[in-house]
Amino acid sequence: MPAVAGKPWYSFNYGPVHIVVISTEHDFNEGSEQLTWLKKNLASVNRKVYPWVIVNGHRPMFSIGANGGFIRGRIGRVLDKYKVTVYLAGHVHNYQRFCPVTYVGKCTSGAPIHVTVGMAGYDTQTYTGSKWKDQIKKNLGAGNSGFTKITASTTTLKLSFIEASTDKVLDSFTVKRP
């Protein structure tokens, strides 16, 4: 679905990936224009053609350094229902990767993998909170500025976090099509 004129949410397809960009800064309460659009968008994806769905929003739903509960409670169920592969966020200035996790915090195969990539170069931070300690798989703190590389085929999706100063892969995971 193309962008809604004048709205900061949109989607596009790139190879075998359907990419959805949402605004975590605008209304996404039940019945809102954005949430209604998101549900229609995700329901319309042909998973035989686009087996991977990545949703991107500024604020994370899971973070050991910030509370994403208000976002998780409103769109987490939608991401679970439509089997989104990855939710990418920023806002928090470090890198965090979580297990495939449902909106209620249960690690479950096939649930969205939540990744926060807030390390593009500003003041990176180290967080040591314990709220999601059972769900966190990787937590990179201060001094690890970098970027994310995503590669996809019809059978696998791979995400790597690469340190900018060394080109060293500091984290990587692969999802295989069931």
Side-chain angles (χ1 to χ4, degrees):
M1 284 184 153
V4 178
K7 305 296 179 189
W9 49 86
Y10 58 94
S11 68
F12 60 96
N13 300 313
Y14 189 81
V17 184
H18 181 69
I19 300 167
V20 179
V21 178
I22 61 171
S23 173
T24 59
E25 310 308 303
H26 289 80
D27 184 16
F28 47 85
N29 286 309
E30 194 60 46
S32 68
E33 182 180 6
Q34 182 176 200
L35 188 59
T36 300
W37 174 87
L38 178 63
K39 289 175 181 180
K40 285 175 79 173
N41 182 285
L42 293 175
S44 73
V45 177
N46 180 343
R47 295 305 280 266
K48 290 180 180 172
V49 178
Y50 306 105
W52 313 113
V53 176
I54 297 174
V55 174
N56 172 244
H58 175 70
R59 294 180 187 269
M61 285 188 235
F62 290 91
S63 174
I64 55 175
N67 183 359
F70 74 99
I71 297 169
R72 191 172 51 253
R74 289 178 174 88
I75 64 172
R77 286 182 180 99
V78 176
L79 302 188
D80 288 358
K81 177 180 180 179
Y82 293 105
K83 303 199 181 306
V84 166
T85 313
V86 174
Y87 178 76
L88 283 176
H91 187 67
V92 178
H93 292 194
N94 69 1
Y95 174 91
Q96 299 175 34
R97 175 173 56 91
F98 292 82
C99 63
V101 61
T102 65
Y103 80 97
V104 295
K106 182 177 179 189
C107 292
T108 303
S109 179
I113 299 169
H114 291 256
V115 182
T116 298
V117 186
M119 302 185 62
Y122 184 64
D123 180 25
T124 57
Q125 302 160 338
T126 300
Y127 292 104
T128 57
S130 62
K131 178 168 181 152
W132 302 109
K133 64 181 173 53
D134 294 335
Q135 293 83 359
I136 189 95
K137 296 301 175 193
K138 192 71 169 184
N139 178 21
L140 299 173
N144 295 113
S145 293
F147 58 94
T148 303
K149 177 181 178 182
I150 299 171
T151 55
S153 70
T154 56
T155 58
T156 60
L157 179 122
K158 182 178 180 179
L159 186 145
S160 300
F161 179 75
I162 301 166
E163 186 175 47
S165 63
T166 64
D167 285 336
K168 181 179 175 185
V169 175
L170 299 182
D171 188 42
S172 182
F173 67 90
T174 301
V175 181
K176 295 184 180 184
R177 192 173 186 180

